[in-house]
């Protein structure tokens, strides 16, 4: 008898490979069926909660408790939405980010809490979800229950279609406000980075003043005091002490000048980014070529961030790269300020090796900037930074 899938003369290797049979009622199908069957009782509870909250709140708006009741009810709707997202994640495999919590600041007081609660889009969408889901939950419950006894051969396909509609509903109504929510989370994170960076800078300045210039000025005062006492008794010793004090003054002035340059260099304020970058490049232990192609000066804050970014990167070149040459290129592209620092060193730099680059990435991210490191082992390092261009006022 001839095999229709293996005609005479065909080689064994040419036999078509049929897909292995798969049981339609796998664990994913049973999860979807469980979701559809449990949606009805949960939809009844959610519908009753949403309808009662809206009816009582609207009916009592003429009193002082109507609006607070709605605000509290929307907070409860947020909790229902969280539970539904967890259920969809567990049974349907829908991955949805949790929305940002409502802002709560003590200085806002009761009316701030009331206003934030009443205009909460996440809570209102959760209420809409609970109101819509009851008729849909009744339909899917009936179809799934009947299908278990009558339509069981095609129930997996029916369940997949029904749960796809549920997936779309959950994504549409229980997801965060996409760009707005993401932007709020980014701004909250960036605000923390800015605060931490400012605190770290203040601690660094305080430490440098205490351990450097302040200590030298104390020694200077003591030396001048001793010289004053010996001025009549031993003029030569007093002259020696005054000479030592003069040397201390020069060192203290140098440290104060370096500290001031670290806060905000005068050359950056007076002559702009090109001259300031050439100044720090001249102090690098590696020959550095600086190219700045800027039609105008950016805003002071952006200019300062760009300066300190290049300064930190050139310090890394001096300390870690073992390079023989480096380059700094700065230019404007549309509404972005681009910085690229390259060297021909040993490479191997990354954001997680403690070279200060992770801090730079956080600082640039706090102002909607980007920080990219390309540093293969033995292939040199290229760091590209982007900052938003803001015109100088």
């Amino acid at each position: 008898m001839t095999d229709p899938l293996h005609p005479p003369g065909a080689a064994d290797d040419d036999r078509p490979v049929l897909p292995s049979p798969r049981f339609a009622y796998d664990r994913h199908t049973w999860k979807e069926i469980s979701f559809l069957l449990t949606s009805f009782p949960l939809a009844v509870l959610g519908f009753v909660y949403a309808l009662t909250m809206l009816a009582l709140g609207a009916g009592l708006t003429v009193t002082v408790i109507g609006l607070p009741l709605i605000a509290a009810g929307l907070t409860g709707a947020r909790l229902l939405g969280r539970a539904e997202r967890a259920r969809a994640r567990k049974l349907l495999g829908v991955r949805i980010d949790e929305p940002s919590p409502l802002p709560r600041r003590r200085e806002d007081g009761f009316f701030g809490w009331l206003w934030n609660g009443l205009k909460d889009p996440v809570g209102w969408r959760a209420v809409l979800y609970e109101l819509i889901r009851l008729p849909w939950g009744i339909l899917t419950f009936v179809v799934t229950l009947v299908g278990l006894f009558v339509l069981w051969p095609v129930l997996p396909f029916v369940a997949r279609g029904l749960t796809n509609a549920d997936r779309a509903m959950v994504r549409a109504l229980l997801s965060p406000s996409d760009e707005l929510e993401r932007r709020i989370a980014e701004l909250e994170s960036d605000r923390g980075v800015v605060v931490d960076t400012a605190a770290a800078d203040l601690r660094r300045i305080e430490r440098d003043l205490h351990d450097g210039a302040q200590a030298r000025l104390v020694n200077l005062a003591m030396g001048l005091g001793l010289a004053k006492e010996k001025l009549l008794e031993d003029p030569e010793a007093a002259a020696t002490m005054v000479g030592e004090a003069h040397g201390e003054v020069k060192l203290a002035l140098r440290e104060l000048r370096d500290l001031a340059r670290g806060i905000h260099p005068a050359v950056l304020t007076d002559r702009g980014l090109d001259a300031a970058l050439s100044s720090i490049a001249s102090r690098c232990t590696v020959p550095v070529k600086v190219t700045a192609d800027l039609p105008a000066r950016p805003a002071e804050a952006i200019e300062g961030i760009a300066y300190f970014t290049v300064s930190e990167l050139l310090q890394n070149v001096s300390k870690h790269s073992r390079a023989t040459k480096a380059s700094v290129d700065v230019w404007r592209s549309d509404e972005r300020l681009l910085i690229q620092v390259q060297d021909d060193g040993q490479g191997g730099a990354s954001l997680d090796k403690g070279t200060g680059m992770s801090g730079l990435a956080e600082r640039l991210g706090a102002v909607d900037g980007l920080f990219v490191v390309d540093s293969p082992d033995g292939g040199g390092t290229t760091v590209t930074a982007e900052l938003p261009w803001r015109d100088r006022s």
Side-chain angles (χ1 to χ4, degrees):
M1 183 175 181
T2 302
D3 185 355
L5 296 178
H6 192 250
D12 290 340
D13 292 340
D14 295 334
R15 180 185 293 273
V17 179
L18 299 178
S20 58
R22 184 175 67 88
F23 186 53
Y25 285 87
D26 59 4
R27 62 187 184 91
H28 298 291
T29 301
W30 284 115
K31 283 184 176 181
E32 292 174 345
I33 293 174
S34 300
F35 182 89
L36 296 172
L37 292 177
T38 56
S39 290
F40 172 62
L42 295 176
V44 172
L45 294 176
F47 182 85
V48 171
Y49 173 84
L51 190 62
T52 303
M53 180 268 294
L54 291 177
L56 285 178
L60 294 174
T61 50
V62 294
T63 67
V64 295
I65 65 172
L67 294 180
L69 183 61
I70 294 178
L74 290 174
T75 302
R78 267 181 166 256
L79 299 178
L80 291 178
R82 180 187 300 176
E84 285 300 319
R85 283 189 293 272
R87 195 167 70 96
R89 189 181 305 116
K90 181 72 173 178
L91 298 178
L92 300 184
V94 178
R95 304 296 177 184
I96 299 177
D97 294 333
E98 292 294 327
S100 301
L102 286 174
R104 293 181 180 179
R105 294 176 295 184
R106 183 175 299 176
E107 60 269 20
D108 290 342
F110 171 77
F111 290 102
W113 166 83
L114 180 62
W115 175 245
N116 288 331
L118 290 176
K119 66 184 182 72
D120 177 25
V122 176
W124 283 112
R125 289 202 306 272
V127 170
L128 180 60
Y129 176 81
E130 297 297 345
L131 294 176
I132 293 177
R133 200 163 61 107
L134 179 61
W136 175 250
I138 295 174
L139 174 64
T140 57
F141 178 81
V142 172
V143 171
T144 305
L145 191 62
V146 172
L148 284 174
F149 298 97
V150 179
L151 304 174
W152 62 267
V154 296
L155 181 58
F157 307 102
V158 175
R160 175 57 54 87
L162 295 177
T163 52
N164 281 340
D166 275 299
R167 290 183 178 94
M169 193 182 305
V170 169
R171 290 192 180 98
L173 296 178
L174 298 183
S175 294
S177 303
D178 295 336
E179 289 298 327
L180 179 60
E181 285 288 333
R182 263 198 308 273
R183 185 61 180 154
I184 289 174
E186 290 174 359
L187 289 176
E188 289 176 348
S189 175
D190 292 346
R191 181 180 61 183
V193 171
V194 170
V195 171
D196 293 342
T197 301
D201 288 340
L202 288 175
R203 289 193 298 269
R204 177 183 58 81
I205 294 171
E206 180 183 7
R207 183 183 64 250
D208 291 344
L209 283 173
H210 182 271
D211 298 341
Q214 181 179 345
R216 292 194 180 279
L217 290 175
V218 169
N219 291 333
L220 172 63
M222 294 175 62
L224 289 176
L226 293 174
K228 181 180 179 181
E229 294 178 358
K230 291 182 176 293
L231 184 60
L232 297 178
E233 299 176 2
D234 191 355
E236 293 184 1
T240 302
M241 291 180 179
V242 171
E244 294 175 353
H246 186 254
E248 288 288 332
V249 169
K250 289 183 178 179
L251 291 175
L253 286 175
R254 183 184 304 170
E255 290 182 356
L256 288 173
R257 191 180 300 113
D258 293 340
L259 181 60
R261 187 184 295 116
I263 297 173
H264 195 84
V267 65
L268 180 62
T269 303
D270 298 337
R271 300 175 57 191
L273 198 56
D274 190 359
L277 295 183
S278 298
S279 175
I280 58 175
S282 65
R283 298 194 299 271
C284 184
T285 59
V286 175
V288 180
K289 179 183 178 182
V290 178
T291 304
D293 183 13
L294 298 176
R297 294 180 63 177
E300 293 181 359
I302 299 300
E303 197 174 57
I305 294 173
Y307 171 84
F308 288 111
T309 298
V310 174
S311 177
E312 182 72 23
L313 291 175
L314 290 183
Q315 287 184 28
N316 286 339
V317 171
S318 297
K319 295 177 181 178
H320 309 292
S321 69
R322 298 181 183 176
T324 59
K325 61 181 179 178
S327 64
V328 177
D329 295 286
V330 182
W331 71 98
R332 178 181 177 179
S333 177
D334 296 330
E335 296 303 314
R336 306 290 285 181
L337 174 64
L338 284 85
I339 304 167
Q340 192 169 78
V341 178
Q342 294 179 300
D343 67 68
D344 61 351
Q346 62 183 350
S350 68
L351 296 177
D352 55 357
K353 289 191 176 181
T355 57
M357 289 191 178
S358 58
L360 288 177
E362 290 179 351
R363 289 194 183 195
L364 267 66
V367 292
D368 289 338
L370 295 175
F371 191 83
V372 180
V373 179
D374 180 17
S375 184
D377 290 333
T381 299
T382 300
V383 178
T384 303
E386 287 189 22
L387 288 165
W389 180 273
R390 297 173 188 165
D391 292 326
R392 180 177 290 256
S393 57

